[in-house]
Amino acid sequence: MVHNIRESINIVIVGHVDHGKSTVIGRLLVDTDSLPKGKLQQVKEMCLRNSKPFEYAFLLDALKDEQSQGITIDTARSFFKTKKRDYIIIDAPGHIEFLKNMITGAARAEAALLVIDAHEGIKENSKRHGHMVSMLGVKQITVLVNKMDIVGYRQEVFDGIKKTYSDFLNQINIVPLSFIPISALEGENITVHSNKMEWYNGQTVLEQLDKFNQAKNLDQKPFRFPVQDIYKFTQDNDDRRIVAGTVDSGSVDVGDEVIFLPSNKKSAIKSIESFNTPVKSAVQTGEATGFTLTTQIYIRPGEIMAKANDILPKVGSRFKANIFWVGMAPMIKDKFYKLKHASSQAYVKLIEIKQAIDAVDLSTVSNKQQLDRHDVAECILETMKPIAFDIVDDNEGTGRFVVVDNYEIAGGGIIVENYSTQDSTLKQHIRERESIWEKGLITSAQRFEHHKHKAKFIAFTGTIGTGKRAIAKALEKELFSYEYNTYYLGIANIEKGLDSDISGNPEERMRRLGELARIMTDAGLIFITTIDDADDYDIETLKLLNEPNEILVINVGENNFSHYSVDLQIPANESVEQAVKKVFELLKFRDIILDYSI
Amino acid sequence: MEHLEKLEAQSVYIIREAYREFKNLCMLWSIGKDSTVLLWLTRKAFFGHVPVPLVHIDTHYKIPEMIEYRNRLALEWNLNMIYGENKEALENKQTFPDGKVDRIACCKNLKSEALKRTLSGEWPRYRMDHNQKKYVIDTNKEPYTGVIVGVRADEEGSRSKERYFSPRDKNNEWDVGDQPPEFWNQFKTDFAPGTHVRVHPLLDWTELNIWEYIDRENIPMVSLYFNQGKGKRYRSLGCYPCTKPVDSDAKTVKEIIKELRSGKFANIAERSGREQDKEDGGGLEKLRRDGYM
C-alpha cells in the first residue's frame, strides 16, 4: 500500500495585495487540470451572468464577501498535483490587517512563493512578508515577478526587481532559490516556458515547485518530546499510565533512559503504546505516540522529555526572543501574559525591549516602550516559573512560542538566547523589598518572649484529597489550645478576595501567598496553610518570599518533589491526631515552640 | 513519514489538545466516512478508548442503515453515544419532504437548529444506556463548550477557510473575517465565557486520503458506500430526500480508491450529489455561519 501513497508538500503564496497571488493559483489549478469538473465553467457562467470579466482569482474566492470586495480575507487552501507529488497551496492574504491570517498560512508551509507585481514594484508587504516567512522558519523561497505582460516582458524591469529584492533578503539572511518572471494572467512561465521572454532561461513555476524539498529531517536532532498529557483510562481494566505527546525531534527506543524537564525526574521507556499497530520498539520525529515508564514518577503535562545522556534543553525563566506582535492591544511591560511553548503554558512578562526592527526597511528603533501591532522586536521575556526550552537554531520546535493576551494569540516568537543565568525579577524584588522593609518598635525577640513561640510559616503540601486540610486545621486548634498565636488560612478565602483579579494565574497566586506569609510571620504568628499539588518551584518561591523568616513544609501522602526535601513527611492514611502529634514534636525539636511538658 | 502518517499524527495531536483544554467536550458523529475516521483517530489518540461523548443529530430522514450502524458500533466500541433532534419541526412538519419549506430551511431546522439546542443542552439529549441497550434521556444538561467535527477543507469553499480551533460566539456564529491566528501547532484554546469552539482535526485530509486511511486501518464502513449489485453507491451520506447515490461499480474500499485516484470521480466534486448545495451559490456558507457543519 505504501508505494501507492504520493508525496505531499505545503506551499504558501504571499505578497502584497493585488500583486496576483490568487491569479497564480487559479492558473496553476487550471493548467494542471486540477479543478473539479465543471468548476471552471461554473465560475465563467457566473461571471457572464453578472456581466464581469472572468478572473482566475474567482476560482479561489469561494466566499461571497470576498468576491464583492475582491480581496482574499483568509487563508484558503487549494489542492493540485504534478506528476511528482501533491501540493497544498495555502493562499495568504496580502492586506496588512490580515497579517495574522498570513502568518497562519505561512507557519505550516515547507516553501514559499512570494509574488511581486512587475509594474507596481516592491511594496511594503513584499518586504514584510519576506521577513515574516523567514521568522516562521520557511527556508525555501522563490520570488515570482508577476504581470510581466504589463511591462512589455522587459528584462530590465525583472532584473531591477531581482537586484533590489535580493539585497533586501540578504540583509535578513535569506537567499531565495530563484526569481521567475511570469504573467499569471497570460500563463507565461507557469507550466510552460514563455516564448515572450526568450531572455529568461530558468525554470517555470511548476518546475521550481517540484524542486522544493520536503521538510528537513529532524530525526538526527536530540530527542525532544513535549508531554501533551498523561492518561490513565481505567475502562476495561486498563492499568496503563501513558505519557502522551508528539515526538518533536529525534527518536527514542524502548529501554532508553529519559529525563523530564524542568522537574528533572528520570525514568526509562518501558513500552511504546499505540492502537491498531504492531508492537513498536522505537518512535521517530513527527509521531503522535505514548509511553509507559519503568517507574511511577509524577510528571505534568508541559514538561519536555529528553534522553538522559543527550544534549538537554535549557531550563530557566529568562530568555531573549524575537517577537512579532499581531494583537489589537500593544504588548506592555510588567503585565502578565500567557506563554504557550511546546506543550507547556506559563505566565510571562515583557522585561525589556532591546530593539524594534522595522520589517519594511529593516532599520532599528531603540527606546521603544511597548510592542505595537505588527511590530517585530528583540525582547527579554521572563516566565514566572522556569520552563524547558531550546535556542531556535538548535531546535525549532522547542525554540518558539506564542503569547496569549486576553484569550487571543497576540504574538509569536523565537528564542535566540538563554538569559536565565541573570537574576530573576523575583530575587531583585525581594532584595529591594527587604532593603526598605520598615520595622515597628518591637523586635522579633520581644515577640518571641511575649508569645512563647517563634514565628513560622507552615505549609502543608500534597496532591488533592490526602486530608491535609483536616490536619492543618487540627494543628491550628491544638496550638491555640496551648495559647500560641496561630492562624489557619483557607486558600479559597483569598481566591475570591485578595486574588479575585488574577483568577487562573497560579504563579501570581503563589507570589501573593508568599508576600502574605512574610507579613503574617513578621507579626509573630504561626501561619498555617495548605497548597495542593505544589512543585519544587512553588515551594522555592514561597521560601524566597517569606525571607528572612522561615518556612516549614509538611507533605501529606505521595511525595512528588524532585529535589526539594520537605521538613516532615506524613503518610496518606495517618490519623489526624497522630499527624498533629508528629508536627508538634517537630516544632519542639526545632525550638519553635517551647517544650510545654517542662 | 509518509503523507497518511503525517495526517494521522496531526489529527491525533489536535484531538488530544482539545481533550486537554476543554472540560465539556463532545464529538459529532454523522456516521459518514469522515466522522467515522475521526472516531477511529480518537481511539488512536487515547489508545483504544473514546473518552469523549459522541453526539449525533438525528433528522429522522437518515437512511435506516446509518442508524442501525450507529447503534451497533456504539455497543461494540462501548461509546458514550448521544443523539438530539428538532422534535418541534418534525411534529409541525416544517421539513422539505413535507413540502412546507425549501431544502435550505429544512437543513436549518433539522440540523443547525437541532445541533445548536442539543449542544447547549436546552433540548433533550438521548444517551445510549449500555445496560439496557437502548436510548434514555440524558440527565446531563451542561452545554458542550468544545465540539470536535470532521469537516475537511477540500469539501467546498467555506470549509477551506476554517481553522483547526474555530471559535463560535454566543449565537453560534462564525466570523470568517476575523479568525484567530494558528501557527506552530499553537491554537486558540482560551475563551471568554459564553463562547465555544469547533475543533477540526480532519481539515487537511482529502476525500482520497480518507479512503486510503480506511483501507490502511481496515475501518468498518456503512454498506451504503459500496455498490451492492445495482451499480449504485453513495459517495456522501445525508438525509435520503436530498442525497442521491452515484452510478458506480465500486464494491470495495480499494475499488473506491481507484475510482477517486484515476477513475470516474477523479475530477468530480464529492458533494455534487447534494441538492441543497445547488439552491444558491452561497447557501452552504450562509448555513455554516449559522452553525451548520
Side-chain angles (χ1 to χ4, degrees):
Chain A
M1 196 63 217
V2 173
H3 64 276
N4 274 335
I5 307 290
R6 284 162 56 86
E7 200 179 281
S8 155
I9 185 168
N10 290 335
I11 310 286
V12 67
I13 182 159
V14 296
H16 198 68
V17 63
D18 283 337
H19 279 197
K21 297 182 297 292
S22 300
T23 312
V24 170
I25 301 171
R27 194 80 213 195
L28 279 169
L29 293 177
V30 172
D31 290 1
T32 55
D33 199 20
S34 300
L35 283 176
K37 203 174 277 175
K39 183 78 178 176
L40 182 60
Q41 202 50 38
Q42 184 198 331
V43 174
K44 281 186 172 169
E45 278 166 17
M46 202 187 291
C47 289
L48 209 61
R49 268 206 309 277
N50 299 317
S51 321
K52 57 180 177 184
F54 166 77
E55 285 182 31
Y56 285 95
F58 292 160
L59 289 167
L60 303 184
D61 295 342
L63 291 176
K64 278 182 168 177
D65 58 354
E66 285 194 353
Q67 283 169 12
S68 62
Q69 290 174 37
I71 53 167
T72 306
I73 291 173
D74 193 11
T75 307
R77 283 169 252 210
S78 333
F79 298 80
F80 84 96
K81 45 197 162 202
T82 64
K83 283 197 188 79
K84 184 179 174 186
R85 61 189 168 196
D86 295 343
Y87 287 89
I88 299 166
I89 294 258
I90 303 161
D91 182 17
H95 265 233
I96 180 82
E97 298 91 272
F98 305 127
L99 188 66
K100 61 184 180 143
N101 294 342
M102 175 265 164
I103 289 167
T104 297
R108 56 172 161 259
E110 285 143 294
L113 295 176
L114 208 150
V115 182
I116 295 176
D117 183 330
H119 180 65
E120 205 174 77
I122 298 160
K123 299 299 272 190
E124 185 181 284
N125 274 333
S126 315
K127 290 185 167 181
R128 194 186 297 276
H129 288 177
H131 199 204
M132 288 295 178
V133 160
S134 92
M135 267 190 82
L136 288 162
V138 182
K139 301 277 189 272
Q140 310 179 80
I141 296 178
T142 275
V143 181
L144 306 181
V145 181
N146 190 24
K147 306 193 189 178
M148 287 300 290
D149 50 312
I150 302 182
V151 297
Y153 299 107
R154 281 178 298 141
Q155 183 177 4
E156 61 268 29
V157 178
F158 173 73
D159 286 347
I161 289 174
K162 183 176 175 181
K163 166 88 181 63
T164 314
Y165 199 65
S166 295
D167 289 348
F168 169 78
L169 290 180
N170 287 342
Q171 287 179 66
I172 46 176
N173 296 320
I174 302 175
V175 181
L177 295 176
S178 57
F179 281 79
I180 307 176
I182 61 164
S183 164
L185 196 66
E186 304 293 330
E188 304 295 331
N189 281 338
I190 303 286
T191 53
V192 286
H193 289 266
S194 169
N195 52 21
K196 292 182 177 131
M197 289 175 276
E198 298 285 347
W199 46 266
Y200 173 78
N201 45 27
Q203 299 159 88
T204 63
V205 176
L206 208 59
E207 286 168 345
Q208 177 60 59
L209 285 173
D210 277 347
K211 288 212 163 150
F212 284 142
N213 294 316
Q214 283 203 287
K216 53 239 158 254
N217 190 354
L218 295 169
D219 276 343
Q220 305 309 316
K221 294 250 182 189
F223 176 65
R224 295 286 184 266
F225 182 80
V227 177
Q228 198 174 4
D229 221 332
I230 290 134
Y231 298 136
K232 181 95 170 69
F233 300 109
T234 46
Q235 209 175 42
D236 306 324
N237 298 322
D238 191 348
D239 62 356
R240 293 173 297 176
R241 186 163 175 272
I242 303 173
V243 181
T246 301
V247 182
D248 195 77
S249 62
S251 63
V252 75
D253 293 13
V254 168
D256 281 349
E257 294 273 348
V258 290
I259 181 164
F260 293 85
L261 295 168
S263 79
N264 239 343
K265 293 186 181 177
K266 284 186 183 172
S267 191
I269 303 286
K270 185 179 170 193
S271 68
I272 292 162
E273 298 294 327
S274 57
F275 170 74
N276 200 41
T277 69
V279 175
K280 293 180 182 185
S281 60
V283 276
Q284 318 279 330
T285 306
E287 283 188 62
T289 186
F291 306 99
T292 64
L293 303 172
T294 52
T295 46
Q296 289 291 334
I297 55 167
Y298 180 79
I299 42 166
R300 291 197 170 101
E303 298 212 51
I304 294 177
M305 179 166 90
K307 280 194 226 175
N309 50 7
D310 216 338
I311 299 168
L312 297 182
K314 295 162 182 34
V315 173
S317 50
R318 256 193 196 214
F319 51 81
K320 188 161 92 178
N322 287 339
I323 298 183
F324 51 86
W325 194 251
V326 290
M328 294 296 278
M331 186 181 199
I332 54 173
K333 288 183 193 170
D334 295 324
K335 177 185 167 181
F336 292 116
Y337 294 91
K338 190 198 256 186
L339 182 88
K340 291 175 85 174
H341 165 261
S343 62
S344 76
Q345 299 184 358
Y347 282 88
V348 72
K349 271 204 258 190
L350 173 63
I351 299 293
E352 189 189 340
I353 299 172
K354 288 274 194 193
Q355 55 181 20
I357 303 138
D358 188 308
V360 178
D361 66 8
L362 297 180
S363 63
T364 57
V365 190
S366 43
N367 286 326
K368 238 186 125 86
Q369 291 307 304
Q370 61 179 32
L371 288 185
D372 296 307
R373 196 164 195 222
H374 303 142
D375 271 352
V376 177
E378 197 179 76
C379 304
I380 309 292
L381 294 185
E382 185 180 299
T383 52
M384 292 195 73
K385 244 176 162 167
I387 58 167
F389 62 87
D390 282 297
I391 302 302
V392 76
D393 285 345
D394 296 339
N395 222 312
E396 270 186 12
T398 43
R400 56 198 185 190
F401 57 87
V402 300
V403 177
V404 176
D405 180 20
N406 192 27
Y407 308 119
E408 304 297 333
I409 292 180
I414 50 179
I415 301 174
V416 293
E417 205 178 329
N418 180 12
Y419 264 50
S420 42
T421 46
Q422 289 200 357
D423 246 4
S424 68
T425 41
L426 187 63
K427 277 189 182 149
Q428 278 171 17
H429 161 77
I430 289 160
R431 251 199 321 271
E432 282 165 29
R433 184 193 69 185
E434 288 308 312
S435 73
I436 60 150
W437 191 272
E438 192 183 341
K439 293 186 172 70
L441 297 174
I442 298 142
T443 64
S444 53
Q446 284 172 305
R447 284 188 207 280
F448 174 59
E449 207 159 301
H450 178 80
H451 294 328
K452 310 282 185 257
H453 66 83
K454 284 185 191 164
K456 199 75 179 179
F457 175 26
I458 304 178
F460 284 87
T461 63
T463 48
I464 297 164
T466 47
K468 48 187 185 303
R469 258 205 304 185
I471 301 169
K473 285 182 185 177
L475 175 67
E476 185 202 31
K477 194 177 169 203
E478 186 76 359
L479 286 167
F480 190 79
S481 73
Y482 285 97
E483 298 188 345
Y484 295 128
N485 291 294
T486 182
Y487 183 70
Y488 165 78
L489 173 74
I491 285 294
N493 304 354
I494 55 171
E495 262 171 32
K496 293 279 177 235
L498 193 60
D499 291 349
S500 62
D501 58 328
I502 48 145
S503 66
N505 184 343
E507 283 105 60
E508 172 63 7
R509 227 155 55 200
M510 205 59 74
R511 193 190 70 79
R512 290 187 183 182
L513 178 63
E515 294 285 1
L516 186 60
R518 170 73 181 90
I519 295 167
M520 297 296 248
T521 48
D522 197 53
L525 292 179
I526 299 178
F527 177 55
I528 306 166
T529 195
T530 62
I531 302 154
D532 284 333
D533 223 15
D535 62 16
D536 292 73
Y537 188 75
D538 294 329
I539 298 300
E540 297 288 357
T541 303
L542 290 179
K543 192 178 162 185
L544 210 57
L545 282 161
N546 193 41
E547 277 177 0
N549 299 333
E550 287 165 6
I551 186 172
L552 192 84
V553 177
I554 300 162
N555 190 72
V556 185
E558 194 183 348
N559 188 331
N560 290 321
F561 293 106
S562 64
H563 52 266
Y564 191 85
S565 64
V566 299
D567 296 280
L568 181 64
Q569 172 65 41
I570 293 173
N573 51 3
E574 189 97 282
S575 73
V576 172
E577 197 179 63
Q578 187 62 23
V580 169
K581 204 171 156 214
K582 280 186 182 173
V583 180
F584 247 82
E585 289 302 318
L586 181 70
L587 294 177
K588 277 191 283 182
F589 181 73
R590 298 268 179 96
D591 293 330
I592 293 156
I593 54 178
L594 297 175
D595 200 336
Y596 52 85
S597 60
I598 298 173
Chain B
M1 283 172 96
E2 50 107 326
H3 189 53
L4 280 186
E5 287 171 341
K6 270 200 249 175
L7 287 172
E8 180 192 85
Q10 177 70 356
S11 301
V12 164
Y13 177 82
I14 292 165
I15 292 167
R16 286 176 177 169
E17 202 65 2
Y19 182 67
R20 176 163 93 137
E21 295 290 337
F22 300 106
K23 196 173 131 260
N24 289 319
L25 182 69
C26 73
M27 179 181 282
L28 297 189
W29 187 28
S30 74
I31 308 160
K33 59 188 186 308
D34 299 323
S35 57
T36 305
V37 163
L38 190 63
L39 173 56
W40 189 264
L41 288 164
T42 307
R43 299 177 91 199
K44 287 262 177 183
F46 305 114
F47 308 95
H49 300 276
V50 182
V52 260
L54 293 165
V55 173
H56 179 235
I57 297 306
D58 197 342
T59 61
H60 295 271
Y61 286 101
K62 296 292 174 195
I63 307 164
E65 281 97 322
M66 294 169 67
I67 303 298
E68 184 265 327
Y69 170 86
R70 176 191 79 187
N71 295 342
R72 184 165 54 82
L73 277 202
L75 291 170
E76 267 176 32
W77 292 357
N78 203 10
L79 306 173
N80 183 6
M81 188 70 225
I82 283 159
Y83 80 83
E85 62 192 7
N86 188 342
K87 208 172 173 182
E88 202 184 303
L90 287 163
E91 278 172 1
N92 297 333
K93 304 201 180 301
Q94 292 298 312
T95 73
F96 171 72
D98 285 312
K100 288 203 179 166
V101 297
D102 66 12
R103 292 181 201 271
I104 296 282
C106 184
C107 270
K108 189 171 168 20
N109 287 344
L110 298 188
K111 294 182 187 171
S112 307
E113 201 58 24
L115 177 70
K116 201 191 289 186
R117 307 294 183 102
T118 300
L119 293 179
S120 70
E122 292 163 80
W123 288 357
R125 298 196 282 228
Y126 303 89
R127 181 178 54 81
M128 173 63 88
D129 182 318
H130 283 265
N131 293 324
Q132 300 182 58
K133 298 195 187 332
K134 65 170 196 182
Y135 288 90
V136 296
I137 294 243
D138 192 6
T139 49
N140 172 21
K141 290 189 165 66
E142 272 186 75
Y144 291 113
T145 48
V147 185
I148 308 179
V149 191
V151 308
R152 305 190 328 259
D154 76 327
E155 287 180 90
E156 40 79 41
S158 71
R159 295 181 197 202
S160 77
K161 311 278 176 170
E162 279 284 10
R163 293 284 191 263
Y164 295 117
F165 283 68
S166 182
R168 297 294 194 266
D169 69 10
K170 283 180 184 154
N171 303 315
N172 247 16
E173 278 169 10
W174 179 40
D175 186 354
V176 68
D178 185 23
Q179 299 197 70
E182 287 184 339
F183 47 106
W184 304 330
N185 262 350
Q186 297 291 0
F187 310 114
K188 178 179 163 70
T189 50
D190 297 88
F191 288 91
T195 49
H196 79 277
V197 66
R198 300 271 173 89
V199 184
H200 301 125
L202 295 185
L203 220 46
D204 296 336
W205 296 60
T206 63
E207 185 190 9
L208 178 59
N209 297 148
I210 292 284
W211 283 109
E212 286 168 341
Y213 191 69
I214 289 168
D215 183 45
R216 191 184 90 158
E217 297 287 323
N218 204 12
I219 307 170
M221 282 293 132
V222 188
S223 57
L224 296 166
Y225 282 118
F226 308 101
N227 164 31
Q228 312 277 331
K230 292 185 178 151
K232 282 195 180 294
R233 70 176 191 86
Y234 284 87
R235 197 171 164 197
S236 84
L237 295 178
C239 298
Y240 53 77
C242 291
T243 315
K244 297 278 169 268
V246 293
D247 291 327
S248 164
D249 293 327
K251 289 194 176 74
T252 62
V253 175
K254 286 209 164 44
E255 284 170 17
I256 291 176
I257 292 172
K258 204 173 156 205
E259 217 173 51
L260 288 172
R261 198 179 281 155
S262 53
K264 59 185 292 187
F265 292 133
N267 274 323
I268 298 179
E270 177 188 350
R271 295 178 67 94
S272 49
R274 298 260 187 139
E275 292 296 330
Q276 75 267 41
D277 294 16
K278 294 178 185 164
E279 298 232 322
D280 141 39
L284 215 54
E285 187 202 336
K286 174 77 184 62
L287 278 174
R288 282 191 72 67
R289 281 172 189 261
D290 292 339
Y292 177 67
M293 290 304 145

